[in-house]
Amino acid sequence: MGAAQSNEHGASSPEELSYMLAERFATKCFTPLELTHFKDNFFSRALEQGGLRHWNEKVLSDFLGIPDGIFTSSQEQPLDAGPVIFRMVSYLGAFPFQNTLAPSVLTFEAMVKVVVLLTDRYGKALKRGHKDRIKLLFGSLADVGRKTPAEANGECTTEDSEASAGNSHALGFSIDKPANDDYDEDEDDDLALAALDSLDAIEVFKHDHRVDKTVYETRISIDTFRRLVMLLLVIAPLKPLDSLKIYTSGLDVRRMESVKNEADSIIAAFSPEESDGGISYKSFARTISLSLPYLFDPLTALFEHLLFSKNLNLSQRRHKGLATETEPEESEENEEPPLQPAALTLPGSFESAILNPTVNSHLSFFLPSISPDINILRGGVKLHPVFSTNAHGSSLTYFSHHVLTWQSATLLILQGALVDSSSEELITLGAYIPQTWKTASSTSGSSSKTSDILPCLFQLSPKHLLLPGNPSPSAKKPNTPIAYFSPNTGIAIGCQIPAPSRTHQTYPTPHGAGSLIIDANIETAEFHAAPIGHDGAFLPASNTSPEDPPTKIKLDLYTLEIWGIVPDPEASSSAETNLGPVEIQRAKWEFEAREAERRRNINIKAGAGDSAAESARWLLEAAGIIGDESRYSGGRG
């Protein structure tokens, strides 16, 4: 009440207003049950110093399950993200007075704000959300010139704790002289002002300070960001009730090397300037918004752990006499984690030579599922094997049979090395294709259930690059399909298809900002990316500028894979057949296999000579019409 009264007279301190804002967040952003679980989790683990109950880094890391450190073979980069997460939380807990109160002691009120900001619940209390959340995330990571608070090691004294809770100027940030000339002056304090608007406290906030713009004029160090991105790659499939041990207990040196390499490819997308100390705010905001929109999604599931307490597991109903078990609940330390998390890919006729848990996590940072708001790991989507050069060879007939008959969206992914290069570095490219494929004889690719999702063309390594689909209707022309196939010219993504000629063979040509061409032998691939061009299927990548030269790389293609997008295969089924999309597709392949067998029996007639029969059979097998039935069924698991 005292804080409220002082606020009415315009005399509230930042500490009082911060406390009131936490109360507002708790009321608007959590259900009563969630708040009960939150309080139990916090206060059952809180430390107490001088009457102040708080968490330190160890308590936070232990509760979330963040490992202390797992090193790569070079011993250069451990998975040691605990200090990074703690620094982020200490900054966000001071919202919206980061300049005055950060780094914040992690009191219950501070943790309320942290969970609201990291679990996407801010939309219920703030007028603007996503754009300004990026500003907050950058500020929480910008550590160039930052002083390390004493409580980062859990060593704050009683006097330090009281000072932090009452007057945090002594523990504020010491920021280097602004060095980022790219800062946009229009990026003001809308988020903080909107948060305080309902508290009638804007004038107090403005008088105290504006949001610490010097934070956005610094940079995120590469080491800090790498540690965080490595953690995000490991825990990307995390669900709110999953134990982190499911994803961290099986890490070994080989997996960590893979995680580090993938993290470096992602960091390269931010155009870090090592000489200037790291990643600028402008580059961070642009890349997150346009190229890696789901990068921080794993933090949502991670911090939602605070909203479920095992001490209050109401499903057991122990206090209502309905429980059948009387044994005490197992502690988290004694739980046996599953051997491996649920796979993104479904069983089928081949196993991927490209996709693995780390690559799947990378894909989830930018690929949506059936909704633009949910990434591919959280929307119940699965990948069904459709075609692989490793399993089916380089025959475009096989490609045509498997891919052109798939009736939903597909993911194309390939690996290769630069032609005529001594480097053994693998380059990974891909495309998300929401429509069925177009052939030389068809007029258009039909829409699938995920056609509201835009296509994209991307590079995963050695540098993350995303060319988003062009939403403009003017880009959707009959001669510029997203995906095109011809047995004579090969596979074309985002190309312009010339009119057929009777005198000579015509070939697809690059068009717009991005395209991918694979030759008819599936031996080479050409990737084109331009910094300009808004008339094609794809738009320029966000981490390029109009002054950059166009990119053209030609690869010796090692592996090409096509994966079918299956929206929630367990939940979706046809009302007429009661079959899921995978069963329907397999039934279609099996029907075509029977039709091929019928045609074979017509062409290979009884009484024909053995040599003629064998010759005919060889021709049909080479054409992909007959052969191993599993190739037609797509695999039966």
Side-chain angles (χ1 to χ4, degrees):
M1 291 295 294
Q5 291 171 356
S6 62
N7 181 51
E8 291 173 0
H9 294 87
S12 290
S13 66
E15 293 80 10
E16 291 172 320
L17 291 173
S18 181
Y19 180 85
M20 293 170 64
L21 184 60
E23 285 190 316
R24 184 66 56 90
F25 276 16
T27 301
K28 287 183 173 290
C29 302
F30 302 130
T31 66
L33 184 59
E34 288 174 335
L35 194 56
T36 299
H37 281 256
F38 192 174
K39 288 179 178 178
D40 182 76
N41 277 326
F42 181 85
F43 289 110
S44 64
R45 295 167 174 82
L47 307 174
E48 184 171 348
Q49 289 180 312
L52 184 69
R53 304 188 72 178
H54 69 283
W55 281 16
N56 63 11
E57 180 184 331
K58 185 178 187 307
V59 174
L60 179 69
S61 294
D62 288 348
F63 174 79
L64 297 177
I66 300 174
D68 293 333
I70 304 173
F71 286 83
T72 61
S73 60
S74 62
Q75 301 291 300
E76 293 177 352
Q77 184 60 55
L79 180 61
D80 187 19
V84 178
I85 296 294
F86 182 71
R87 293 171 68 125
M88 293 179 69
V89 168
S90 299
Y91 180 89
L92 296 175
F95 175 79
F97 297 99
Q98 293 91 332
N99 188 44
T100 302
L101 302 180
S104 169
V105 174
L106 300 187
T107 62
F108 177 73
E109 290 75 23
M111 288 299 292
V112 164
K113 291 185 285 184
V114 167
V115 174
V116 166
L117 293 171
L118 289 181
T119 62
D120 291 341
R121 294 166 183 263
Y122 47 82
K124 298 180 181 179
L126 306 178
K127 293 180 180 178
R128 287 176 49 171
H130 182 72
K131 181 178 180 181
D132 290 306
R133 181 175 182 255
I134 291 176
K135 294 165 63 178
L136 287 171
L137 289 171
F138 179 86
S140 71
L141 289 166
D143 56 358
V144 178
R146 174 185 290 183
K147 289 183 178 179
T148 303
E151 65 266 31
N153 296 319
E155 299 173 351
C156 60
T157 63
T158 301
E159 293 78 14
D160 291 334
S161 299
E162 292 172 348
S164 298
N167 184 3
S168 298
H169 287 80
L171 291 176
F173 295 99
S174 175
I175 303 297
D176 290 344
K177 183 178 179 180
N180 181 9
D181 296 333
D182 293 332
Y183 180 76
D184 185 356
E185 290 298 333
D186 292 334
E187 299 288 338
D188 56 14
D189 312 313
D190 289 345
L191 178 63
L193 296 182
L196 295 172
D197 187 20
S198 60
L199 299 179
D200 193 27
I202 293 178
E203 291 305 317
V204 178
F205 174 72
K206 287 183 176 180
H207 178 74
D208 177 78
H209 73 298
R210 294 180 67 80
V211 166
D212 186 9
K213 290 186 177 181
T214 56
V215 171
Y216 308 115
E217 292 163 351
T218 59
R219 296 179 185 273
I220 300 173
S221 76
I222 304 304
D223 176 73
T224 294
F225 199 52
R226 182 182 289 113
R227 290 170 186 259
L228 177 63
V229 173
M230 289 175 68
L231 175 69
L232 298 178
L233 284 166
V234 170
I235 69 170
L238 182 70
K239 303 296 189 298
L241 298 184
D242 283 351
S243 168
L244 212 67
K245 293 180 180 179
I246 297 175
Y247 307 97
T248 60
S249 60
L251 296 177
D252 54 21
V253 170
R254 182 177 180 181
R255 172 76 193 282
M256 287 306 301
E257 289 287 355
S258 171
V259 170
K260 180 181 180 297
N261 292 337
E262 209 72 30
D264 286 340
S265 296
I266 292 172
I267 292 170
F270 292 83
S271 303
E273 300 171 21
E274 295 282 0
S275 60
D276 291 335
I279 299 168
S280 69
Y281 170 64
K282 183 177 181 180
S283 175
F284 180 85
R286 182 178 63 244
T287 306
I288 293 296
S289 299
L290 302 176
S291 189
L292 292 161
Y294 312 119
L295 179 63
F296 292 100
D297 278 13
L299 295 182
T300 297
L302 183 62
F303 278 84
E304 282 184 349
H305 281 66
L306 278 157
L307 304 179
F308 177 79
S309 171
K310 293 187 176 181
N311 297 329
L312 302 176
N313 188 351
L314 301 184
S315 64
Q316 295 182 13
R317 302 178 181 270
R318 289 196 176 103
H319 299 297
K320 295 186 178 182
L322 299 179
T324 57
E325 55 180 315
T326 57
E327 294 297 324
E329 187 178 347
E330 270 193 315
S331 66
E332 186 174 349
E333 289 76 11
N334 294 329
E335 290 181 355
E336 288 291 336
L339 296 178
Q340 60 183 8
L344 176 63
T345 57
L346 295 171
S349 58
F350 64 88
E351 293 185 1
S352 180
I354 303 175
L355 300 180
N356 58 49
T358 305
V359 173
N360 294 344
S361 294
H362 188 167
L363 290 172
S364 75
F365 294 159
F366 64 92
L367 277 186
S369 58
I370 58 175
S371 166
D373 299 325
I374 306 174
N375 73 47
I376 197 170
L377 287 180
R378 303 196 183 283
V381 168
K382 296 293 183 181
L383 302 180
H384 186 273
V386 174
F387 174 82
S388 167
T389 52
N390 286 354
H392 303 109
S394 298
S395 166
L396 281 182
T397 302
Y398 277 128
F399 179 91
S400 173
H401 170 73
H402 288 276
V403 177
L404 270 61
T405 55
W406 182 261
Q407 296 301 305
S408 68
T410 51
L411 174 69
L412 177 151
I413 193 161
L414 62 85
Q415 270 187 345
L418 290 175
V419 172
D420 299 327
S421 173
S422 58
S423 173
E424 297 181 357
E425 182 179 47
L426 288 178
I427 296 175
T428 306
L429 303 171
Y432 174 77
I433 304 163
Q435 289 85 25
T436 54
W437 286 64
K438 177 180 177 180
T439 64
S441 60
S442 64
T443 57
S444 64
S446 59
S447 298
S448 70
K449 293 181 179 179
T450 55
S451 58
D452 56 326
I453 306 295
L454 290 174
C456 65
L457 185 63
F458 57 85
Q459 176 178 288
L460 294 184
S461 63
K463 176 182 179 179
H464 173 89
L465 192 71
L466 177 67
L467 288 80
N470 191 348
S472 174
S474 62
K476 298 176 176 62
K477 301 176 182 178
N479 66 334
T480 56
I482 297 170
Y484 172 85
F485 162 81
S486 167
N488 297 320
T489 61
I491 302 164
I493 308 295
C495 293
Q496 189 171 64
I497 311 302
S501 172
R502 294 183 178 181
T503 60
H504 63 279
Q505 179 65 57
T506 58
Y507 292 88
T509 56
H511 183 65
S515 60
L516 177 66
I517 300 174
I518 300 171
D519 74 312
N521 296 319
I522 317 184
E523 294 179 346
T524 61
E526 288 187 11
F527 175 64
H528 299 258
I532 57 175
H534 290 73
D535 57 344
F538 303 102
L539 297 175
S542 64
N543 48 350
T544 58
S545 64
E547 295 77 22
D548 293 339
T551 298
K552 177 183 177 181
I553 57 176
K554 187 172 183 179
L555 304 179
D556 284 324
L557 203 157
Y558 297 161
T559 306
L560 169 68
E561 297 176 355
I562 306 291
W563 294 84
I565 308 295
V566 182
D568 199 357
E570 295 182 359
S572 58
S573 62
S574 168
E576 297 179 357
T577 63
N578 198 31
L579 295 175
V582 173
E583 286 74 15
I584 293 175
Q585 182 65 53
R586 288 176 179 173
K588 182 178 178 65
W589 275 333
E590 289 171 356
F591 171 78
E592 292 192 352
R594 291 193 297 271
E595 285 297 297
E597 183 69 15
R598 184 180 63 83
R599 292 193 300 271
R600 182 188 69 83
N601 291 332
I602 292 174
N603 288 305
I604 305 178
K605 297 180 179 179
D610 291 342
S611 60
E614 288 301 318
S615 176
R617 175 178 291 276
W618 180 86
L619 288 172
L620 290 171
E621 287 179 345
I625 297 175
I626 65 172
D628 184 358
E629 189 178 3
S630 67
R631 291 180 176 178
Y632 298 97
S633 66
R636 295 186 176 86

